[in-house]
Amino acid sequence: MDGRAARIDALFAETIRAHEVSRAMAAGPILEAVDALLATFGRNGKALIFGNGGSAADALHFAAELVGRFERERRGLAAVALPADTSVLTSVANDYGFERVFARQVEALGSAGDVAIGITTSGASPNVLAALVAARSGGMATIAFTGRDGGAVGRAVDVHVNVPHASAARVQEVHRTLIHAVCELVEAAV
């Protein structure tokens, strides 16, 4: 096996280890997240989902699975990916600063009884934290998908789904699995 092939093998092994560690602790927080979403959708509420970079892409994916479908036909579920609107992002960043790009949208679009879902591989994204604080102030349930030790974001939410790994890439890989688990369980219950 040449060096590149060995690196590919090592990446798979590291990803599997990250999944195994997360698997041992995921059931409780995932079920809490599912219950929060089901309660929100049962009241005709919505999910506001946000993150930066790769986590922004995960937010868009998460919202798409809820609005469209995951694996079976069912009614659409109200979910909005806050990183999707570049006009809003850039105007809020310009007028209020990048730290407010999600909080301002939570204030404008969220209602008591909705759920806000922040995704951050570090657990330290100031704009994700600000949005979750705004959500909580607005009477919304709060969920965070984090990495590392969860940081300030993990400590600020009602439901904390943590992947205890330092690599953003490995955390994102496990986040995708966890998001799919949430979508599957929500879809099975609606």
Side-chain angles (χ1 to χ4, degrees):
M1 188 181 300
D2 75 21
R4 293 177 304 161
R7 183 62 193 137
I8 292 167
D9 187 65
L11 286 170
F12 269 93
E14 189 178 343
T15 296
I16 290 166
R17 277 192 301 279
H19 273 82
E20 287 174 343
V21 168
S22 297
R23 177 184 179 187
M25 59 180 68
I30 290 297
L31 292 173
E32 289 178 44
V34 168
D35 289 345
L37 283 164
L38 290 172
T40 293
F41 296 142
R43 292 187 294 272
N44 292 316
K46 65 191 155 303
L48 303 175
I49 312 171
F50 45 90
N52 300 293
S55 296
D58 286 341
L60 273 69
H61 179 150
F62 201 166
E65 300 290 20
L66 295 171
V67 172
R69 66 181 171 128
F70 182 61
E71 293 189 319
R72 70 171 181 82
E73 290 301 322
R74 46 123 175 110
R75 71 181 175 92
L77 302 170
V80 180
L82 301 185
D85 191 330
T86 55
S87 294
V88 170
L89 288 175
T90 57
S91 69
V92 172
N94 185 62
D95 294 346
Y96 300 97
F98 193 69
E99 187 173 313
R100 299 282 305 152
V101 295
F102 301 133
R104 185 69 171 183
Q105 291 183 76
V106 165
E107 293 163 0
L109 302 172
S111 300
D114 287 346
V115 62
I117 303 172
I119 307 172
T120 167
T121 60
S122 67
S125 303
N127 60 358
V128 171
L129 179 60
L132 291 165
V133 169
R136 200 173 238 177
S137 295
M140 294 169 234
T142 55
I143 300 170
F145 287 78
T146 69
R148 300 184 186 175
D149 69 355
V153 170
R155 291 186 296 275
V157 295
D158 302 314
V159 179
H160 182 205
V161 183
N162 181 247
V163 177
H165 201 287
S167 165
R170 301 298 81 80
V171 172
Q172 287 171 338
E173 291 157 359
V174 180
H175 277 177
R176 181 64 57 92
T177 300
L178 296 170
I179 288 166
H180 282 172
V182 169
C183 291
E184 181 174 319
L185 292 170
V186 166
E187 190 167 82
V190 295

